[in-house]
């Protein structure tokens, strides 16, 4: 292929930077399944191919049986565009004359792919790319970059969008908000630790009073029953800071193990098995991006997970998928439609598949940021906020014994123990048989803070996102109270099950 990644990227950057890059148009003179007569395509990159292959910038459907998969190419060097004949089986014509190798094109000439195939009129654009709006230029570059360079070009262009003409200001706003959220998290962490320290000191003081009472009663004639009764009065005396404390988990983890055995088969390993974008022009683009997480099946027939396990590109990250997430985000806001398939697996061998369209979620609170450019246009990025909207679910067949408890989720007391199940580090920790990872934490702040449950002693990791958080009700029965959302250091954040709509 005549172009290189560097040359393609250089041209793409120049196009987006409103440089004087020559452009030309191809007017379709023949109606086909893919193109109507009179449709005009503007070409801004150095090299494109024409044919029925899905990698072709000018692509024809299979109704054009005399058009080869890679039939011909157009290469621009400076102001000169040259036609290259690629097909080994079907001819290419310019103004009715066959082309055997390369032929420079003149304004107004007609290209025909095979003797009975579609015709296109070649025209030089007088103004080049300078007259095109930024959004239009971005879409053209994204659509016309040749594989295997397309994903790289799109990813790098996203970084350009953020850098040029005021984009730094938009990124500064995002950074400023992230910094503020980080400070808030640290404040919550410190507050939760103070609460835990205070409660620990109060409990220790009560235990000391109980020990002193037992010592003072030693050797008396009180019956054992009366002694135990008096000890219970002291141990159950209200704390100076009144809170409703759930019974602490036994030190040997017996209750946690019981909850694990009871509900482990309701905890599903979730992964993306296919990701495409349906572009505004009707073409399907393969997205090289995948992720994994956790979901869980409730007794009411809902398979629940975190929304960022479904709409990962709305939660921009700095990880391996970061640049691709940015590109998908911008393309989605430009009219592209995500087409995603998810697979789920349970420890007992249950399997299932669902699609992005099957999922119920609430992204109405997501914020749209307009990233300014050096021209009159802007590019939109839509960002999900770190709040109680990080939930999603689908209706899923099969029986489950895991009950949700929305009321308990709203009123968890400080220090209440919770059990967390999920697939930390994804499939990497799994052997021959799928088994969710068990972890335990405690509630750091009573009730909900900013709509979410705050935990201390967080020990769940990446891959656990979307997993269930379980807590015991007044009868000691464990219920689903939340969904693992995120964490920072030892502090974890859980979306309450009551947030689901």
């Amino acid at each position: 292929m005549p172009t290189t990644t560097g040359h393609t990227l250089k041209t793409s950057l120049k196009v987006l930077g409103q440089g004087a890059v020559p452009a030309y148009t191809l007017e379709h003179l023949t109606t086909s399944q893919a193109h109507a007569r009179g449709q005009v395509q503007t070409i801004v990159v150095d090299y494109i191919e024409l044919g029925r292959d899905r990698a072709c910038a000018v692509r024809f459907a299979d109704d054009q049986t005399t058009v080869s998969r890679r039939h011909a190419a157009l290469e621009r060097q400076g102001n000169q565009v040259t036609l290259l004949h690629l097909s080994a089986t079907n001819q290419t014509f310019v103004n009715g004359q066959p082309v055997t190798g390369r032929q420079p094109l003149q304004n107004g000439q007609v290209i025909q792919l095979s003797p009975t195939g579609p015709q296109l009129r070649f025209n030089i654009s007088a103004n080049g790319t300078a007259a095109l709006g930024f959004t239009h230029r971005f879409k053209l570059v994204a659509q016309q970059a040749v594989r295997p360079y397309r994903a790289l070009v799109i990813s790098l262009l996203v970084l350009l969008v953020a850098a040029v003409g005021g984009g730094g200001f938009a990124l500064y706003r995002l950074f400023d908000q992230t910094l503020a959220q980080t400070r808030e998290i640290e404040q919550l962490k410190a507050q939760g630790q103070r609460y835990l320290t205070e409660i620990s000191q109060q409990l220790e003081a009560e235990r000391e009073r109980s020990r002193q009472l037992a010592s003072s009663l030693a050797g008396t004639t009180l019956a054992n029953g009366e002694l135990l009764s008096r000890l219970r009065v002291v141990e159950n005396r209200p704390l100076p800071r009144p809170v409703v404390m759930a019974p602490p988990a036994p030190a040997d983890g017996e209750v946690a193990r019981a909850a694990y055995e009871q509900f482990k088969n309701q905890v599903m390993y979730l992964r993306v098995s296919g990701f495409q974008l349906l572009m505004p022009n009707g073409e399907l683009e393969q997205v090289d991006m995948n992720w994994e997480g956790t979901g869980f099946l409730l007794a009411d027939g809902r398979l629940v997970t975190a929304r960022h396990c479904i709409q990962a590109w709305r939660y921009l990250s700095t990880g391996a998928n970061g640049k691709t997430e940015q590109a998908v985000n911008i393309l989605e806001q430009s009219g592209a439609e995500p087409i995603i398939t998810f697979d789920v697996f349970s420890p007992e061998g249950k399997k299932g598949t669902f699609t992005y369209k099957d999922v119920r979620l609430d992204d109405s609170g997501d914020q749209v940021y307009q990233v300014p450019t050096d021209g009159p246009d802007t590019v939109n990025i839509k960002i999900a906020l770190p709040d109680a909207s990080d939930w999603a679910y689908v209706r899923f067949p099969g029986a489950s014994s895991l009950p949700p408890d929305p009321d308990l989720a709203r009123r968890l007391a400080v220090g209440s123990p919770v059990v967390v199940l999920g697939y930390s580090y994804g499939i990497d920790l799994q052997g021959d048989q799928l088994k969710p990872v068990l972890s335990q934490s405690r509630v750091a702040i009573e009730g909900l803070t900013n709509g979410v449950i705050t935990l201390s002693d967080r020990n769940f990791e990446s891959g656990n996102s979307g997993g269930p958080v379980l807590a015991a009700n007044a009868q000691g029965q464990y219920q689903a109270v939340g969904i693992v959302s995120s964490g920072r250091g030892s502090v974890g954040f859980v979306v309450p099950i009551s947030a689901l709509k």
Side-chain angles (χ1 to χ4, degrees):
M1 186 164 53
T3 54
T4 65
T5 307
H7 195 215
T8 299
L9 180 59
K10 181 178 179 181
T11 302
S12 301
L13 296 177
K14 193 173 182 181
V15 169
L16 290 180
Q18 283 192 322
V21 175
Y24 59 90
T25 63
L26 296 173
E27 178 187 359
H28 290 267
L29 304 179
T30 309
T31 296
S32 65
Q33 284 185 3
H35 304 283
R37 179 184 174 88
Q39 178 186 346
V40 176
Q41 290 183 256
T42 301
I43 309 301
V44 298
V45 298
D46 291 336
Y47 180 90
I48 66 164
E49 292 182 356
L50 300 80
R52 291 187 294 119
D53 192 278
R54 62 187 308 269
C56 293
V58 180
R59 183 184 176 193
F60 293 91
D62 288 339
D63 65 316
Q64 300 298 312
T65 56
T66 60
V67 175
S68 299
R69 292 290 176 187
R70 297 175 63 243
H71 196 111
L74 295 175
E75 180 185 11
R76 181 179 59 79
Q77 294 181 333
N79 293 320
Q80 179 62 60
V81 178
T82 300
L83 174 70
L84 290 75
H85 176 65
L86 302 178
S87 176
T89 56
N90 296 302
Q91 289 182 299
T92 304
F93 300 85
V94 173
N95 283 358
Q97 299 299 313
V99 177
T100 57
R102 303 168 58 93
Q103 178 167 326
L105 294 177
Q106 304 298 322
N107 202 38
Q109 288 186 320
V110 175
I111 302 168
Q112 185 170 7
L113 306 182
S114 81
T116 59
Q119 296 180 329
L120 307 95
R121 178 177 287 113
F122 170 81
N123 283 301
I124 296 292
S125 174
N127 297 319
T129 58
L132 301 177
F134 182 87
T135 303
H136 192 189
R137 284 179 278 138
F138 185 93
K139 290 179 180 179
L140 291 176
V141 169
Q143 292 168 1
Q144 295 169 15
V146 179
R147 288 183 177 87
Y149 307 134
R150 182 173 296 174
L152 174 62
V153 168
I154 292 176
S155 298
L156 293 177
L157 294 185
V158 170
L159 300 181
L160 171 73
V161 167
V164 297
F169 173 72
L171 288 184
Y172 172 78
R173 289 175 56 198
L174 289 174
F175 174 79
D176 190 52
Q177 291 174 355
T178 302
L179 182 61
Q181 291 164 4
T182 302
R183 289 170 178 165
E184 182 179 356
I185 288 170
E186 293 302 323
Q187 291 171 358
L188 292 175
K189 178 180 177 181
Q191 184 180 8
Q193 189 60 48
R194 287 197 300 271
Y195 285 166
L196 290 175
T197 301
E198 180 182 345
I199 289 170
S200 177
Q201 291 171 346
Q202 292 167 355
L203 290 175
E204 183 57 35
E206 292 300 327
R207 293 191 189 98
E208 180 60 28
R209 291 190 188 98
S210 297
R211 286 193 291 268
Q212 291 175 1
L213 177 61
S215 177
S216 66
L217 291 175
T220 68
T221 58
L222 291 173
N224 287 340
E226 185 178 356
L227 175 60
L228 291 174
S229 176
R230 293 180 63 174
L231 284 173
R232 290 194 190 98
V233 168
V234 173
E235 290 176 346
N236 294 329
R237 182 183 302 157
L239 297 175
R241 182 184 181 89
V243 293
V244 180
M245 293 294 295
D252 61 1
E254 191 67 32
V255 173
R257 285 199 296 271
Y260 177 85
E261 292 299 328
Q262 183 178 1
F263 298 122
K264 66 180 181 181
N265 287 329
Q266 318 307 324
V267 184
M268 315 285 279
Y269 169 70
L270 180 151
R271 71 180 184 189
V272 173
S273 58
F275 193 169
Q276 294 177 306
L277 281 176
L278 179 60
M279 304 301 288
N281 64 0
E283 292 189 3
L284 280 175
E285 293 292 339
Q286 191 71 32
V287 179
D288 186 16
M289 181 170 126
N290 53 68
W291 60 88
E292 55 190 355
T294 303
F296 56 97
L297 190 59
L298 290 176
D300 59 13
R302 290 181 293 180
L303 176 62
V304 180
T305 187
R307 178 159 73 99
H308 73 264
C309 293
I310 302 296
Q311 282 185 322
W313 62 93
R314 295 282 185 89
Y315 298 78
L316 297 183
S317 69
T318 57
N321 288 331
K323 293 180 181 179
T324 308
E325 288 172 3
Q326 296 169 21
V328 169
N329 196 314
I330 290 179
L331 291 173
E332 181 194 31
Q333 299 310 304
S334 299
E337 177 186 346
I339 300 177
I340 313 174
T341 303
F342 299 90
D343 292 337
V344 289
F345 306 87
S346 76
E348 60 183 353
K350 183 185 297 182
K351 299 178 182 179
T353 299
F354 62 91
T355 68
Y356 179 64
K357 283 189 174 182
D358 298 328
V359 180
R360 180 174 177 82
L361 51 81
D362 181 12
D363 59 1
S364 59
D366 290 3
Q367 299 294 308
V368 177
Y369 295 91
Q370 290 188 333
V371 181
T373 70
D374 56 348
D377 298 313
T378 58
V379 170
N380 292 337
I381 297 182
K382 197 169 189 178
I383 306 298
L385 300 179
D387 58 19
S389 69
D390 192 13
W391 59 265
Y393 68 83
V394 296
R395 291 292 174 183
F396 196 80
S400 171
S401 60
L402 178 55
D405 194 334
D407 184 57
L408 179 60
R410 300 186 190 97
R411 56 179 180 82
L412 289 170
V414 174
S416 299
V418 296
V419 173
V420 182
L421 304 178
Y423 296 97
S424 291
Y425 298 112
I427 208 69
D428 291 344
L429 290 187
Q430 301 300 314
D432 295 335
Q433 184 178 357
L434 199 62
K435 297 178 181 179
V437 176
L438 166 68
S439 59
Q440 295 175 271
S441 299
R442 289 186 179 271
V443 176
I445 302 176
E446 184 172 2
L448 304 180
T449 302
N450 296 323
V452 301
I453 302 167
T454 306
L455 302 181
S456 62
D457 303 326
R458 177 183 80 93
N459 49 21
F460 49 82
E461 297 293 342
S462 173
N464 217 131
S465 293
V469 178
L470 312 177
N473 60 15
Q475 292 74 40
Q477 299 169 335
Y478 270 78
Q479 319 272 306
V481 295
I483 309 158
V484 173
S485 177
S486 61
R488 180 65 63 87
S490 63
V491 176
F493 299 98
V494 172
V495 174
I497 206 75
S498 56
L500 272 64
K501 301 176 182 178

PDB file of all heavy atoms in Angstrom, residues 300 302 403-412 448 453 479-482 496-500:
ATOM      1  N   ASP A 300     -36.003 -11.714  41.534  1.00  0.00           N
ATOM      2  CA  ASP A 300     -37.083 -11.161  40.702  1.00  0.00           C
ATOM      3  C   ASP A 300     -36.802 -11.287  39.208  1.00  0.00           C
ATOM      4  O   ASP A 300     -37.534 -10.750  38.382  1.00  0.00           O
ATOM      5  CB  ASP A 300     -37.356  -9.703  41.067  1.00  0.00           C
ATOM      6  CG  ASP A 300     -36.129  -8.807  40.890  1.00  0.00           C
ATOM      7  OD1 ASP A 300     -35.148  -9.249  40.255  1.00  0.00           O
ATOM      8  OD2 ASP A 300     -36.140  -7.670  41.389  1.00  0.00           O
ATOM      9  N   ARG A 302     -33.981 -10.333  37.477  1.00  0.00           N
ATOM     10  CA  ARG A 302     -33.099  -9.336  36.869  1.00  0.00           C
ATOM     11  C   ARG A 302     -31.636  -9.757  37.025  1.00  0.00           C
ATOM     12  O   ARG A 302     -31.215 -10.145  38.114  1.00  0.00           O
ATOM     13  CB  ARG A 302     -33.309  -7.961  37.503  1.00  0.00           C
ATOM     14  CG  ARG A 302     -34.633  -7.317  37.169  1.00  0.00           C
ATOM     15  CD  ARG A 302     -34.775  -5.947  37.812  1.00  0.00           C
ATOM     16  NE  ARG A 302     -34.855  -6.026  39.264  1.00  0.00           N
ATOM     17  CZ  ARG A 302     -34.986  -4.963  40.054  1.00  0.00           C
ATOM     18  NH1 ARG A 302     -35.037  -3.741  39.534  1.00  0.00           N
ATOM     19  NH2 ARG A 302     -35.071  -5.109  41.369  1.00  0.00           N
ATOM     20  N   PRO A 403     -32.462 -12.450  47.261  1.00  0.00           N
ATOM     21  CA  PRO A 403     -33.480 -11.394  47.323  1.00  0.00           C
ATOM     22  C   PRO A 403     -32.848 -10.012  47.455  1.00  0.00           C
ATOM     23  O   PRO A 403     -31.855  -9.842  48.167  1.00  0.00           O
ATOM     24  CB  PRO A 403     -34.262 -11.752  48.591  1.00  0.00           C
ATOM     25  CG  PRO A 403     -33.250 -12.410  49.470  1.00  0.00           C
ATOM     26  CD  PRO A 403     -32.251 -13.098  48.563  1.00  0.00           C
ATOM     27  N   PRO A 404     -33.400  -8.995  46.798  1.00  0.00           N
ATOM     28  CA  PRO A 404     -32.950  -7.621  47.012  1.00  0.00           C
ATOM     29  C   PRO A 404     -33.636  -7.024  48.234  1.00  0.00           C
ATOM     30  O   PRO A 404     -34.779  -7.369  48.549  1.00  0.00           O
ATOM     31  CB  PRO A 404     -33.387  -6.902  45.731  1.00  0.00           C
ATOM     32  CG  PRO A 404     -34.614  -7.657  45.290  1.00  0.00           C
ATOM     33  CD  PRO A 404     -34.409  -9.089  45.715  1.00  0.00           C
ATOM     34  N   ASP A 405     -32.957  -6.120  48.927  1.00  0.00           N
ATOM     35  CA  ASP A 405     -33.555  -5.429  50.081  1.00  0.00           C
ATOM     36  C   ASP A 405     -33.282  -3.931  49.955  1.00  0.00           C
ATOM     37  O   ASP A 405     -32.327  -3.408  50.546  1.00  0.00           O
ATOM     38  CB  ASP A 405     -32.991  -5.981  51.386  1.00  0.00           C
ATOM     39  CG  ASP A 405     -33.811  -5.561  52.603  1.00  0.00           C
ATOM     40  OD1 ASP A 405     -34.465  -4.497  52.521  1.00  0.00           O
ATOM     41  OD2 ASP A 405     -33.815  -6.289  53.608  1.00  0.00           O
ATOM     42  N   PRO A 406     -34.105  -3.213  49.172  1.00  0.00           N
ATOM     43  CA  PRO A 406     -33.879  -1.772  48.957  1.00  0.00           C
ATOM     44  C   PRO A 406     -33.930  -0.967  50.244  1.00  0.00           C
ATOM     45  O   PRO A 406     -33.180   0.005  50.407  1.00  0.00           O
ATOM     46  CB  PRO A 406     -35.006  -1.372  48.003  1.00  0.00           C
ATOM     47  CG  PRO A 406     -35.463  -2.651  47.370  1.00  0.00           C
ATOM     48  CD  PRO A 406     -35.259  -3.701  48.399  1.00  0.00           C
ATOM     49  N   ASP A 407     -34.821  -1.354  51.182  1.00  0.00           N
ATOM     50  CA  ASP A 407     -34.959  -0.586  52.421  1.00  0.00           C
ATOM     51  C   ASP A 407     -33.704  -0.692  53.277  1.00  0.00           C
ATOM     52  O   ASP A 407     -33.192   0.307  53.790  1.00  0.00           O
ATOM     53  CB  ASP A 407     -36.179  -1.085  53.192  1.00  0.00           C
ATOM     54  CG  ASP A 407     -36.430  -0.267  54.444  1.00  0.00           C
ATOM     55  OD1 ASP A 407     -36.592   0.969  54.312  1.00  0.00           O
ATOM     56  OD2 ASP A 407     -36.443  -0.848  55.549  1.00  0.00           O
ATOM     57  N   LEU A 408     -33.182  -1.917  53.431  1.00  0.00           N
ATOM     58  CA  LEU A 408     -31.953  -2.099  54.195  1.00  0.00           C
ATOM     59  C   LEU A 408     -30.793  -1.350  53.556  1.00  0.00           C
ATOM     60  O   LEU A 408     -29.924  -0.804  54.257  1.00  0.00           O
ATOM     61  CB  LEU A 408     -31.636  -3.588  54.307  1.00  0.00           C
ATOM     62  CG  LEU A 408     -30.364  -3.983  55.070  1.00  0.00           C
ATOM     63  CD1 LEU A 408     -30.430  -3.489  56.507  1.00  0.00           C
ATOM     64  CD2 LEU A 408     -30.151  -5.496  55.027  1.00  0.00           C
ATOM     65  N   ALA A 409     -30.775  -1.273  52.231  1.00  0.00           N
ATOM     66  CA  ALA A 409     -29.690  -0.588  51.521  1.00  0.00           C
ATOM     67  C   ALA A 409     -29.616   0.888  51.894  1.00  0.00           C
ATOM     68  O   ALA A 409     -28.530   1.484  51.890  1.00  0.00           O
ATOM     69  CB  ALA A 409     -29.889  -0.733  50.016  1.00  0.00           C
ATOM     70  N   ARG A 410     -30.741   1.499  52.224  1.00  0.00           N
ATOM     71  CA  ARG A 410     -30.776   2.940  52.539  1.00  0.00           C
ATOM     72  C   ARG A 410     -30.368   3.248  53.979  1.00  0.00           C
ATOM     73  O   ARG A 410     -30.065   4.396  54.303  1.00  0.00           O
ATOM     74  CB  ARG A 410     -32.179   3.494  52.298  1.00  0.00           C
ATOM     75  CG  ARG A 410     -32.705   3.359  50.882  1.00  0.00           C
ATOM     76  CD  ARG A 410     -34.044   4.075  50.757  1.00  0.00           C
ATOM     77  NE  ARG A 410     -34.704   3.781  49.493  1.00  0.00           N
ATOM     78  CZ  ARG A 410     -35.645   2.853  49.326  1.00  0.00           C
ATOM     79  NH1 ARG A 410     -36.042   2.126  50.368  1.00  0.00           N
ATOM     80  NH2 ARG A 410     -36.190   2.644  48.149  1.00  0.00           N
ATOM     81  N   ARG A 411     -30.390   2.253  54.858  1.00  0.00           N
ATOM     82  CA  ARG A 411     -30.224   2.545  56.303  1.00  0.00           C
ATOM     83  C   ARG A 411     -29.148   1.675  56.959  1.00  0.00           C
ATOM     84  O   ARG A 411     -29.239   1.387  58.146  1.00  0.00           O
ATOM     85  CB  ARG A 411     -31.563   2.366  57.010  1.00  0.00           C
ATOM     86  CG  ARG A 411     -32.189   0.989  56.827  1.00  0.00           C
ATOM     87  CD  ARG A 411     -33.521   0.850  57.573  1.00  0.00           C
ATOM     88  NE  ARG A 411     -34.101  -0.467  57.378  1.00  0.00           N
ATOM     89  CZ  ARG A 411     -33.756  -1.547  58.055  1.00  0.00           C
ATOM     90  NH1 ARG A 411     -32.814  -1.461  58.990  1.00  0.00           N
ATOM     91  NH2 ARG A 411     -34.329  -2.706  57.819  1.00  0.00           N
ATOM     92  N   LEU A 412     -28.151   1.261  56.220  1.00  0.00           N
ATOM     93  CA  LEU A 412     -27.070   0.485  56.817  1.00  0.00           C
ATOM     94  C   LEU A 412     -26.334   1.322  57.851  1.00  0.00           C
ATOM     95  O   LEU A 412     -25.980   2.485  57.614  1.00  0.00           O
ATOM     96  CB  LEU A 412     -26.090   0.024  55.731  1.00  0.00           C
ATOM     97  CG  LEU A 412     -26.614  -1.070  54.789  1.00  0.00           C
ATOM     98  CD1 LEU A 412     -25.658  -1.246  53.623  1.00  0.00           C
ATOM     99  CD2 LEU A 412     -26.804  -2.384  55.529  1.00  0.00           C
ATOM    100  N   LEU A 448     -26.783   6.667  53.179  1.00  0.00           N
ATOM    101  CA  LEU A 448     -26.239   6.979  51.861  1.00  0.00           C
ATOM    102  C   LEU A 448     -25.563   8.343  51.873  1.00  0.00           C
ATOM    103  O   LEU A 448     -26.069   9.291  52.461  1.00  0.00           O
ATOM    104  CB  LEU A 448     -27.351   6.971  50.809  1.00  0.00           C
ATOM    105  CG  LEU A 448     -28.178   5.685  50.681  1.00  0.00           C
ATOM    106  CD1 LEU A 448     -29.247   5.839  49.605  1.00  0.00           C
ATOM    107  CD2 LEU A 448     -27.284   4.483  50.394  1.00  0.00           C
ATOM    108  N   ILE A 453     -23.453   3.954  48.956  1.00  0.00           N
ATOM    109  CA  ILE A 453     -22.974   3.368  50.205  1.00  0.00           C
ATOM    110  C   ILE A 453     -21.448   3.447  50.219  1.00  0.00           C
ATOM    111  O   ILE A 453     -20.796   3.086  49.236  1.00  0.00           O
ATOM    112  CB  ILE A 453     -23.425   1.906  50.320  1.00  0.00           C
ATOM    113  CG1 ILE A 453     -24.951   1.796  50.250  1.00  0.00           C
ATOM    114  CG2 ILE A 453     -22.901   1.276  51.606  1.00  0.00           C
ATOM    115  CD1 ILE A 453     -25.446   0.375  50.042  1.00  0.00           C
ATOM    116  N   GLN A 479     -29.107 -10.387  52.359  1.00  0.00           N
ATOM    117  CA  GLN A 479     -29.859  -9.868  51.218  1.00  0.00           C
ATOM    118  C   GLN A 479     -28.912  -9.051  50.334  1.00  0.00           C
ATOM    119  O   GLN A 479     -27.876  -8.574  50.796  1.00  0.00           O
ATOM    120  CB  GLN A 479     -30.993  -8.953  51.692  1.00  0.00           C
ATOM    121  CG  GLN A 479     -31.744  -9.431  52.920  1.00  0.00           C
ATOM    122  CD  GLN A 479     -32.887 -10.345  52.588  1.00  0.00           C
ATOM    123  OE1 GLN A 479     -33.744 -10.009  51.792  1.00  0.00           O
ATOM    124  NE2 GLN A 479     -32.897 -11.518  53.195  1.00  0.00           N
ATOM    125  N   ALA A 480     -29.287  -8.862  49.073  1.00  0.00           N
ATOM    126  CA  ALA A 480     -28.510  -7.987  48.183  1.00  0.00           C
ATOM    127  C   ALA A 480     -28.874  -6.535  48.486  1.00  0.00           C
ATOM    128  O   ALA A 480     -30.037  -6.145  48.395  1.00  0.00           O
ATOM    129  CB  ALA A 480     -28.811  -8.308  46.725  1.00  0.00           C
ATOM    130  N   VAL A 481     -27.871  -5.755  48.871  1.00  0.00           N
ATOM    131  CA  VAL A 481     -28.119  -4.339  49.190  1.00  0.00           C
ATOM    132  C   VAL A 481     -27.431  -3.390  48.209  1.00  0.00           C
ATOM    133  O   VAL A 481     -27.716  -2.190  48.210  1.00  0.00           O
ATOM    134  CB  VAL A 481     -27.675  -4.003  50.629  1.00  0.00           C
ATOM    135  CG1 VAL A 481     -28.514  -4.768  51.632  1.00  0.00           C
ATOM    136  CG2 VAL A 481     -26.180  -4.296  50.823  1.00  0.00           C
ATOM    137  N   GLY A 482     -26.503  -3.892  47.387  1.00  0.00           N
ATOM    138  CA  GLY A 482     -25.807  -2.962  46.515  1.00  0.00           C
ATOM    139  C   GLY A 482     -25.017  -3.634  45.410  1.00  0.00           C
ATOM    140  O   GLY A 482     -24.949  -4.865  45.311  1.00  0.00           O
ATOM    141  N   PRO A 496     -26.552   1.579  45.820  1.00  0.00           N
ATOM    142  CA  PRO A 496     -27.575   0.826  46.549  1.00  0.00           C
ATOM    143  C   PRO A 496     -28.554   0.160  45.585  1.00  0.00           C
ATOM    144  O   PRO A 496     -28.854   0.702  44.522  1.00  0.00           O
ATOM    145  CB  PRO A 496     -28.261   1.891  47.401  1.00  0.00           C
ATOM    146  CG  PRO A 496     -28.039   3.171  46.657  1.00  0.00           C
ATOM    147  CD  PRO A 496     -26.692   3.034  46.020  1.00  0.00           C
ATOM    148  N   ILE A 497     -29.040  -1.008  45.979  1.00  0.00           N
ATOM    149  CA  ILE A 497     -29.981  -1.732  45.130  1.00  0.00           C
ATOM    150  C   ILE A 497     -31.273  -0.937  44.960  1.00  0.00           C
ATOM    151  O   ILE A 497     -32.026  -1.137  43.994  1.00  0.00           O
ATOM    152  CB  ILE A 497     -30.253  -3.129  45.729  1.00  0.00           C
ATOM    153  CG1 ILE A 497     -30.671  -4.120  44.638  1.00  0.00           C
ATOM    154  CG2 ILE A 497     -31.232  -3.068  46.872  1.00  0.00           C
ATOM    155  CD1 ILE A 497     -29.558  -4.595  43.766  1.00  0.00           C
ATOM    156  N   SER A 498     -31.507   0.010  45.860  1.00  0.00           N
ATOM    157  CA  SER A 498     -32.697   0.859  45.789  1.00  0.00           C
ATOM    158  C   SER A 498     -32.630   1.844  44.629  1.00  0.00           C
ATOM    159  O   SER A 498     -33.643   2.455  44.270  1.00  0.00           O
ATOM    160  CB  SER A 498     -32.887   1.628  47.093  1.00  0.00           C
ATOM    161  OG  SER A 498     -31.728   2.377  47.405  1.00  0.00           O
ATOM    162  N   ALA A 499     -31.436   2.016  44.009  1.00  0.00           N
ATOM    163  CA  ALA A 499     -31.293   2.968  42.895  1.00  0.00           C
ATOM    164  C   ALA A 499     -31.866   2.423  41.602  1.00  0.00           C
ATOM    165  O   ALA A 499     -32.143   3.193  40.673  1.00  0.00           O
ATOM    166  CB  ALA A 499     -29.822   3.343  42.714  1.00  0.00           C
ATOM    167  N   LEU A 500     -32.039   1.103  41.501  1.00  0.00           N
ATOM    168  CA  LEU A 500     -32.531   0.517  40.260  1.00  0.00           C
ATOM    169  C   LEU A 500     -33.953   0.993  39.974  1.00  0.00           C
ATOM    170  O   LEU A 500     -34.788   1.063  40.878  1.00  0.00           O
ATOM    171  CB  LEU A 500     -32.518  -1.017  40.345  1.00  0.00           C
ATOM    172  CG  LEU A 500     -31.205  -1.697  39.927  1.00  0.00           C
ATOM    173  CD1 LEU A 500     -30.086  -1.317  40.867  1.00  0.00           C
ATOM    174  CD2 LEU A 500     -31.366  -3.203  39.907  1.00  0.00           C
TER     175      LEU A 500
END
